[in-house]
Amino acid sequence: VQLQASGGGLVQAGGSLRLSCAASGRTFSVMAWFRQAPGRERDFVAAFTWSGGSTYYAGSVKGRFTISRDNAKNTVHLQMNSLEPEDTAVYYCAAKMSTYSSNSDASRYDYWGQGTLVTVSS
């Protein structure tokens, strides 16, 4: 089982980036994105439930970020618009089999991808 994250980079404030997370080896019930800024804990960003297509967002990104899926490629995307310097962090994709555990609790996730760095300059 592998989660391969891609799409990070450097962007100016107000700009956009799209992150992708490709899952291989199995399918999952929930795929999500978390982020970790220097000196901070890993925070929930967004989650997508595969069966029902429900989406969940942290309050700080709601209205600016959109999580979506590509069924054929078993991939989840995170479209990030109106980026702010406060969005600067290493972004991690995560996946879990259970739909019943909390989607925003990092400890509930079974698999993690490598991080991808997003830097937003002011």
Side-chain angles (χ1 to χ4, degrees), residues 35 43-45 57-65 84 87:
R35 66 186 181 186
D43 294 326
F44 171 74
V45 175
Y57 296 96
S60 59
V61 308
K62 207 166 189 178
R64 300 188 297 122
F65 291 9
E84 304 167 352
D87 296 316

Side-chain angles (χ1 to χ4, degrees), residues 8-9 21 25 30 35-36 39 41 54 65 77 82 86 89 93 95 102 118:
C21 178
V30 180
R35 66 186 181 186
Q36 189 166 18
E41 293 184 351
S54 298
F65 291 9
H77 303 290
S82 302
E86 292 74 22
C93 65
S102 170
V118 172

Side-chain angles (χ1 to χ4, degrees), residues 6-7 16-21 32-35 45-47 56-57 61 64-69 75-81 83 91-93 116 118:
S6 61
S16 298
L17 281 175
R18 189 174 87 151
L19 305 183
S20 297
C21 178
W33 289 95
F34 288 77
R35 66 186 181 186
V45 175
Y56 303 86
Y57 296 96
V61 308
R64 300 188 297 122
F65 291 9
T66 302
I67 190 169
S68 62
R69 69 180 171 187
T75 297
V76 166
H77 303 290
L78 184 69
Q79 178 67 41
M80 305 186 294
N81 298 329
L83 282 162
Y91 284 70
Y92 297 90
C93 65
T116 184
V118 172

Side-chain angles (χ1 to χ4, degrees), residues 30 34 44 47 96 98-109:
V30 180
F34 288 77
F44 171 74
K96 61 185 177 85
S98 173
T99 57
Y100 300 106
S101 59
S102 170
N103 292 328
S104 61
D105 184 347
S107 69
R108 301 296 184 177
Y109 284 79

